[in-house]
Amino acid sequence: MLAGAAAILALVLGLLLAAFRRRGTASDEAAGVKVWIIGLGFVFSMSVLAALTVYGLFAGQRLMPGAGAGVEAGVGTRVGADVVSVSAEARQWSWRFAYDDRPDHITDDVLHIPAGRPVDVAITTTDVVHSFWVPRLAGKLDAIPGHVNTLRIEADTPGTYQGLTAEYNGPGYRAHVFTVEAHDAQSWDAFVAGDRQ
Amino acid sequence: MTALRRHRKLSAIWSSEPGFRGWFSSVNHSDLGRMFLVTAFFFFLVGGVLAMLIRAQLATPHSAFADAGAFAQFFTMHGTIMMFLFAIPTFEGLAIYLLPKMLGTRDLAFPRLTAYGYWCYAFGGSMLLVALVFGIAPDGGWFMYPPLTGPLHSPGINTDFWLIGITFVEISAICAAVELCVSILKYRAPGMSLDKMPIFAWYALVTALMILTGFPPLILGSVLLELERAFGLPFFQADLGGDSLLWQHLFWLFGHPEVYIIFLPAAGVISTIIPVMARTTLLGYGWIVASAVALAFLSFGLWVHHMFTTGIPLMGLAFFSAASTLVAVPTGVQVFAWIGTLWKGRPEMHLPMLHIFGFFFTFVIGGLTGVMVAVVPFDWQAHDTAFITAHLHYVLFGGFVFPILAGIYYWLPLVSGRKRFFRLGEVAFALIFLGFHGTFLAMHWVGLMGQRRRIETYDAETGWGAINLISSISSFIMAIGLAMVLIDVLIHAFVAVRGGRNPWKAGTLEWASMSPPPAYNFASLPHVTSRDAFHGDPGLANRLAKGEGYLGDPQSARRETLTVDIATGDPDFMVIYPGNTRLPILMAAVTGLFFLSILIKLYWLTPLALAGVAALALVWVWRLGARTDAGPQDAGRGVTLALAGETEKSPGWWGSVFLLVANATFFGSLLFGYAFLWTVAPGWPPQDWLAPSLVELGIGGAAALTSALAMRLAIRGNRHRARPLPGLAFALTATLVTAVTFAMLLSRVPPPDGHAYAATLFVLGSYALCHALIAGLMLAFAIARARRGYTSPARQAEFHIVSLWTDYLAVIATLSLLAAHLPGFLA
Ligand code: HEM
Ligand SMILES: [Cu+2]
């Protein structure tokens, strides 16, 4: 994407500078319209955009829970036994996580997930708007009062991932962070069984 | 009459009061345009200082200079000031100053409204300055998302300053927009058909229309949020049937078009300057107009792209994502048309052109990162990081500040009548350009590394320190460059040598006025036959000064101009302007009292202030008009015209049309909010609906319709028998019945602080009641005018204006009643 952007920038600036260097005859209006407005203005911009949009949609599809399901629905067609469901509840300024697989358990500011399995995070808030973001696992999704938004995340390898809040939510905004712990299969089972803490 | 005597005579008629007293009573567009621009640049300075504070704080990790609370005020006020108090007023000032000159006429459509708008801006902006000075400035970010800004989480007065101050300033934007629309469509030199208008006028027209349709949603949002904060009406509280997403929709319904409202005037400046610098004409004039219009339309379909991370279904995302990238097409057309114009001519590198070069470089980068942001998955990663802040500045600084600097250097010789002699401007440009890119390239970079926007500090381990330091140092370089521009302009305005007329050899009419332009702009109005009116006809300026155009014969002490047919530009009416008056500043002060009373919760004062505004408005309109028919007037060059007050569609009628466009958008946004809460908010349906009543529905609807019909009767009665009074009285009665129906409706609404449904009904009912009262007041006014002999079959303009408002009342009253009663019937 960056290379394409640089190429377009170079094209525009090149044409701009060339206008100052050129010492030929002035072109007439009709020819100018054909080249500059129809050619470069329409055809060129359209084709660049079409390419980008198609790319964007394909990439977007992969990040969604379930193929094309509404995010609020939370249950998509790809939900199988394999998918783990957790919930994330934001407040000023902490995150509280709960687990479908271990109903009586909550954790604050640490989210436990299994590595290598898709996880649907049901995100909501008790006070203001927050945003759930684990940069290395997925894009962000907002926590909105009265709504539950579901985000699919997946960690390929076990380990600790940094999570952030990405919507200004008052003076505690900067320190409003959390961690995601991705477990291997064995320690996830142990977590679910409850003999971890 | 010699040119000099004509100049003296016209100056005596048109001049403002001498000295600083003139500032308060001037209604002249050149004065007010300059006042707008000076004030806007003062706010640019304040916003810039805040930006420096932000950059100083972020320069090093763990800086202890500002705490989180102060930092929040810095970035909120920086964004707010730049968007509302700098960018929009700069456009208004530029358009107010330039347009009448470019269009070859003497002033804008409603001189007193220009002044009122300016004072609303000055007073509203001062409120925010006061908040800043006392450290109680808004701190929720410039888009003020509730519930963070709601009564629970921001109990202080900070947020109220934003909601009230900005609404006050927006009144000024609406006033200016109404005025610009009417002026561009009606107040042009004879012969200037739409396709001969200077391109800047087209851009200003599109921008003004966008302000009329873009600002009302935000005004509505601010009203609702202030009602929630002050009286507990829970529009944005999820547990009481409200939804904070409603604010986000209303805000971005405004906020996205806002970006184009800022960009389009700048594009107008570029389209004006480039052909002059390239010694040619603009390539693809029609295409450029079409793409400006297309941009305006598309931009209203795009607000949701600011809400990609709120959980919008994928289909919706796909639509908005495609639409967001689509705006790049009309933008691309314009950019390439400009480059094509340069190719068509022989470009010369003067200082304005340097800034335009700065624009191209910066704006194209901003556009490309914008297309990246519009691609959904990328936005999920970049949303709310410094990358977004950097992108936004590439668009706003590149797309607005550089073109405006180009415009300043381009029109400065016109305003001052002087020549630049130091090379300060070139050095300043280099510093600004390098400083800008240093600052914001670095911010793109730390954004991609994960630095969020709006954090007041960061840890040293993040490794962001060096990049932030580069960014901050660069920003100070940019600030030095901007300060040099200021010094350059001051030198230019006060000490530079006098220059000749039209130094750039431009073709638009503003250069055919004197430099600096006199209060009346043109001693006589030109007859325009081509787009570059001044180009092929260098003798034009002298002939106009000698009175060879229209209205070249100042007979009485009247400020005269004429209006034209919208499409063809044939002269149609003569207009007499009101003279200098302090009424606008007085009315703005009383309007300010209204806002102040809400801000500091002196609610007993609120109705008094409102009554004051209404009384002043009556005085305002009462002063116009005459008690005898004037008949056809000599406009020079063998043309006779009727006075505008003796027509059906007077300037006031057109003004009302555009004001009602804004008003209808406000009402439409309210209905949208109602439907949105109903379908999306949690906590619906409410426990019980308003008990429906066929009687109320029937009487209210019938009465509102009757008042509209009776007003038509009055117009016919006036035309045929000079007897408007029976119709007017009938209409007044019907209007009052409408008002009573809505008062009864309001008394039956469930407690509005209990559920967002009741709260919405309350606002809907109050809106309709308020319009019934306005229509009633207008009808009473019309009756008084008719009885005092201010109307006649010829002097009918006022009746047609009132008729517009009774028609509007009929529509909104019916819709409000249906919206209030139908749910109850259906349930
Ligand atoms: C004079 C040079 C300028 C500098 C150095 C500057 C710098 C900054 C910085 C550093 C921020 C980020 C604060 C943060 O989120 O951490 C910011 C935010 C912002 N700036 Fe500027 N800026 C400048 C001019 C402008 C102009 C001309 C405009 C608009 C016309 C503008 C509009 C904004 C807006 C809307 C925000 C977002 C505020 C918020 O997050 O609520 N800035 N600016
Ligand atoms: Cu936008």
Side-chain angles (χ1 to χ4, degrees):
Chain A
M1 201 146 50
L2 203 61
I8 294 175
L9 179 66
L11 173 75
V12 172
L13 293 180
L15 289 173
L16 187 64
L17 291 180
F20 284 86
R21 310 227 109 198
R22 219 174 42 95
R23 282 284 164 263
T25 50
S27 55
D28 70 336
E29 173 86 13
V33 166
K34 213 176 266 165
V35 174
W36 293 99
I37 293 181
I38 314 271
L40 285 162
F42 273 98
V43 179
F44 175 69
S45 348
M46 287 282 216
S47 23
V48 172
L49 294 181
L52 256 172
T53 309
V54 171
Y55 161 80
L57 283 183
F58 275 108
Q61 202 96 27
R62 278 188 276 120
L63 290 176
M64 286 301 209
V71 214
E72 282 190 29
V75 213
T77 48
R78 265 173 31 192
V79 172
D82 204 29
V83 178
V84 175
S85 294
V86 301
S87 69
E89 191 184 73
R91 69 194 61 220
Q92 283 177 326
W93 289 274
S94 71
W95 286 90
R96 173 160 291 181
F97 300 103
Y99 306 87
D100 278 15
D101 292 335
R102 191 178 165 190
D104 53 343
H105 190 65
I106 51 170
T107 54
D108 280 331
D109 293 329
V110 184
L111 169 64
H112 297 272
I113 61 169
R117 285 172 68 184
V119 178
D120 279 355
V121 188
I123 301 162
T124 190
T125 165
T126 60
D127 44 38
V128 305
V129 176
H130 304 264
S131 194
F132 177 96
W133 188 28
V134 189
R136 285 169 59 202
L137 298 187
K140 64 203 75 174
L141 201 56
D142 289 357
I144 295 170
H147 296 268
V148 179
N149 288 332
T150 304
L151 179 73
R152 160 113 4 132
I153 60 175
E154 185 166 340
D156 294 333
T157 52
T160 306
Y161 299 85
Q162 184 60 216
L164 305 164
T165 302
E167 185 69 65
Y168 185 71
N169 58 15
Y173 173 62
R174 181 178 57 85
H176 192 195
V177 295
F178 58 95
T179 49
V180 176
E181 279 205 33
H183 300 267
D184 57 27
Q186 193 187 357
S187 81
W188 173 251
D189 289 341
F191 172 77
V192 169
D195 50 40
R196 201 123 190 279
Q197 61 250 130
Chain B
M1 201 184 312
T2 64
L4 189 62
R5 274 201 54 207
R6 178 172 294 100
H7 170 67
R8 294 230 175 92
K9 199 157 176 194
L10 280 166
S11 295
I13 299 173
W14 286 81
S15 297
S16 317
E17 289 179 60
F20 78 95
R21 292 174 55 217
W23 299 351
F24 304 110
S25 64
S26 174
V27 291
N28 178 276
H29 76 100
S30 293
D31 288 347
L32 287 159
R34 270 195 306 250
M35 285 156 77
F36 256 107
L37 285 170
V38 169
T39 314
F41 278 93
F42 167 73
F43 279 113
F44 183 53
L45 208 70
V46 177
V49 169
L50 286 165
M52 293 304 108
L53 293 178
I54 296 173
R55 280 314 327 165
Q57 166 72 14
L58 290 177
T60 51
H62 283 302
S63 161
F65 162 64
D67 63 7
F71 190 77
Q73 294 192 15
F74 291 169
F75 68 71
T76 305
M77 286 302 284
H78 166 72
T80 303
I81 287 179
M82 287 298 190
M83 301 301 268
F84 295 101
L85 303 179
F86 163 60
I88 303 289
T90 299
F91 156 66
E92 289 160 8
L94 202 63
I96 286 171
Y97 183 84
L98 284 176
L99 275 175
K101 302 181 182 70
M102 285 187 152
L103 298 172
T105 185
R106 285 177 175 160
D107 207 327
L108 294 164
F110 312 111
R112 293 178 303 175
L113 191 67
T114 327
Y116 176 68
Y118 172 75
W119 292 110
C120 285
Y121 164 48
F123 294 154
S126 314
M127 281 188 178
L128 284 157
L129 281 185
V130 167
L132 194 61
V133 169
F134 287 97
I136 44 175
D139 53 5
W142 86 281
F143 34 83
M144 287 274 141
Y145 281 177
L148 180 63
T149 50
L152 254 50
H153 300 283
S154 295
I157 196 172
N158 309 47
T159 307
D160 301 309
F161 270 110
W162 196 96
L163 296 172
I164 289 166
I166 293 301
T167 304
F168 198 4
V169 172
E170 278 173 353
I171 291 187
S172 127
I174 300 273
C175 291
V178 167
E179 167 140 84
L180 291 176
C181 286
V182 181
S183 304
I184 295 168
L185 291 177
K186 295 293 295 178
Y187 287 68
R188 305 194 299 258
M192 188 185 278
S193 52
L194 279 183
D195 61 324
K196 296 199 189 80
M197 277 203 318
I199 190 75
F200 183 77
W202 273 111
Y203 276 107
L205 178 64
V206 175
T207 310
L209 286 170
M210 287 184 74
I211 290 179
L212 292 181
T213 44
F215 278 36
L218 180 62
I219 297 180
L220 174 69
S222 304
V223 170
L224 297 186
L225 187 51
E226 187 54 34
L227 283 174
E228 172 169 318
R229 293 177 55 84
F231 305 108
L233 272 55
F235 297 101
F236 307 109
Q237 289 171 22
D239 45 349
L240 292 175
D243 195 334
S244 58
L245 278 178
L246 174 60
W247 171 271
Q248 297 197 19
H249 280 289
L250 291 176
F251 186 88
W252 291 115
L253 263 171
F254 144 82
H256 187 82
E258 159 92 347
V259 175
Y260 295 88
I261 291 173
I262 291 176
F263 169 63
L264 284 174
V269 170
I270 298 168
S271 301
T272 307
I273 298 180
I274 282 190
V276 175
M277 295 291 142
R279 320 242 58 87
T280 180
T281 53
L282 189 62
L283 178 74
Y285 174 93
W287 291 94
I288 291 193
V289 172
S291 30
V293 174
L295 211 56
F297 273 101
L298 281 173
S299 74
F300 282 98
L302 293 188
W303 79 98
V304 173
H305 81 173
H306 296 273
M307 299 169 64
F308 277 172
T309 61
T310 57
I312 307 274
L314 186 61
M315 258 334 282
L317 284 189
F319 170 79
F320 284 108
S321 191
S324 309
T325 48
L326 212 58
V327 291
V329 175
T331 316
V333 168
Q334 290 172 74
V335 168
F336 285 115
W338 292 326
I339 300 181
T341 306
L342 289 174
W343 277 66
K344 196 173 121 190
R346 295 189 174 281
E348 294 165 11
M349 209 23 133
H350 298 290
L351 185 51
M353 201 57 219
L354 269 183
H355 283 282
I356 288 189
F357 175 79
F359 151 79
F360 271 109
F361 187 81
T362 314
F363 187 73
V364 171
I365 298 183
L368 291 172
T369 50
V371 173
M372 289 188 192
V373 172
V375 177
V376 180
F378 188 81
D379 187 46
W380 280 337
Q381 292 298 341
H383 183 83
D384 271 307
T385 66
F387 186 92
I388 292 285
T389 322
H391 153 69
L392 167 144
H393 285 85
Y394 265 78
V395 174
L396 290 174
F397 204 98
F400 187 75
V401 179
F402 276 124
I404 290 298
L405 289 175
I408 289 181
Y409 279 116
Y410 177 75
W411 278 297
L412 211 50
L414 173 71
V415 181
S416 68
R418 294 171 196 270
K419 266 207 298 253
R420 214 162 60 84
F421 60 83
F422 289 129
R423 294 260 137 195
L424 209 53
E426 279 78 0
V427 182
F429 168 76
L431 293 182
I432 296 172
F433 186 81
L434 295 175
F436 175 85
H437 286 279
T439 310
F440 292 104
L441 276 179
M443 279 175 67
H444 273 115
W445 186 8
V446 282
L448 287 179
M449 290 171 74
Q451 178 172 329
R452 287 174 293 162
R453 69 192 280 193
R454 298 174 169 176
I455 52 170
E456 79 279 14
T457 188
Y458 50 90
D459 291 331
E461 299 89 78
T462 53
W464 302 336
I467 310 174
N468 272 306
L469 191 60
I470 294 176
S471 170
S472 296
I473 292 174
S474 306
S475 76
F476 282 90
I477 295 178
M478 165 168 47
I480 294 171
L482 287 165
M484 283 169 70
V485 171
L486 184 67
I487 295 170
D488 201 18
V489 170
L490 288 180
I491 292 178
H492 187 108
F494 295 112
V495 295
V497 293
R498 303 211 58 86
R501 197 198 293 256
N502 199 4
W504 310 110
K505 310 252 172 314
T508 38
L509 279 172
E510 75 270 29
W511 300 101
S513 178
M514 285 186 257
S515 314
Y520 54 85
N521 287 346
F522 301 100
S524 62
L525 305 190
H527 189 93
V528 173
T529 50
S530 78
R531 205 173 282 156
D532 275 327
F534 193 31
H535 220 99
D537 187 5
L540 179 69
N542 277 332
R543 291 206 311 280
L544 294 182
K546 283 200 228 131
E548 291 176 22
Y550 298 93
L551 301 177
D553 202 4
Q555 298 283 353
S556 51
R558 304 191 305 193
R559 297 187 178 183
E560 298 170 332
T561 194
L562 48 77
T563 61
V564 298
D565 178 80
I566 291 180
T568 62
D570 297 330
D572 57 8
F573 300 110
M574 191 193 278
V575 174
I576 314 288
Y577 286 123
N580 300 333
T581 162
R582 288 195 180 71
L583 197 56
I585 186 172
L586 184 63
M587 179 131 144
V590 180
T591 313
L593 217 55
F594 164 75
F595 284 109
L596 198 66
S597 72
I598 300 177
L599 179 68
I600 55 178
K601 304 195 188 304
L602 278 183
Y603 294 122
W604 58 267
L605 190 60
T606 314
L608 293 183
L610 271 182
V613 172
L616 286 172
L618 291 179
V619 174
W620 183 291
V621 274
W622 190 271
R623 288 194 183 169
L624 299 173
R627 295 166 82 159
T628 49
D629 289 353
Q633 308 279 311
D634 178 17
R637 295 179 56 126
V639 174
T640 49
L641 300 171
L643 285 186
E646 303 183 358
T647 69
E648 290 184 15
K649 295 189 173 137
S650 61
W653 188 87
W654 285 103
S656 285
V657 167
F658 288 106
L659 188 55
L660 286 175
V661 167
N663 199 345
T665 315
F666 182 90
F667 182 68
S669 309
L670 184 56
L671 289 184
F672 164 80
Y674 188 30
F676 178 84
L677 288 178
W678 191 343
T679 49
V680 175
W684 280 62
Q687 255 173 7
D688 37 23
W689 303 100
L690 176 83
S693 149
L694 266 184
V695 180
E696 206 176 88
L697 185 65
I699 293 184
L705 285 177
T706 308
S707 99
L709 291 177
M711 194 56 223
R712 292 197 153 58
L713 220 63
I715 289 176
R716 290 189 48 180
N718 176 55
R719 186 177 302 146
H720 298 308
R721 282 165 287 132
R723 281 195 56 207
L725 285 176
L728 289 176
F730 192 20
L732 179 59
T733 319
T735 310
L736 293 181
V737 173
T738 318
V740 170
T741 327
F742 278 101
M744 276 165 54
L745 178 97
L746 282 176
S747 71
R748 299 194 303 119
V749 169
D753 55 357
H755 194 277
Y757 162 71
T760 312
L761 265 198
F762 180 78
V763 174
L764 205 59
S766 310
Y767 178 85
L769 175 60
C770 175
H771 277 78
L773 293 178
I774 290 176
L777 207 60
M778 291 177 116
L779 284 161
F781 175 85
I783 291 175
R785 293 284 275 189
R787 297 193 49 176
R788 289 298 180 82
Y790 277 99
T791 63
S792 74
R795 282 169 282 130
Q796 53 177 316
E798 290 167 15
F799 296 139
H800 293 276
I801 297 176
V802 178
S803 178
L804 275 179
W805 287 84
T806 47
D807 285 358
Y808 184 73
L809 173 67
V811 174
I812 60 121
T814 316
L815 288 176
S816 307
L817 284 169
L818 286 177
H821 290 270
L822 271 191
F825 283 122
L826 296 178

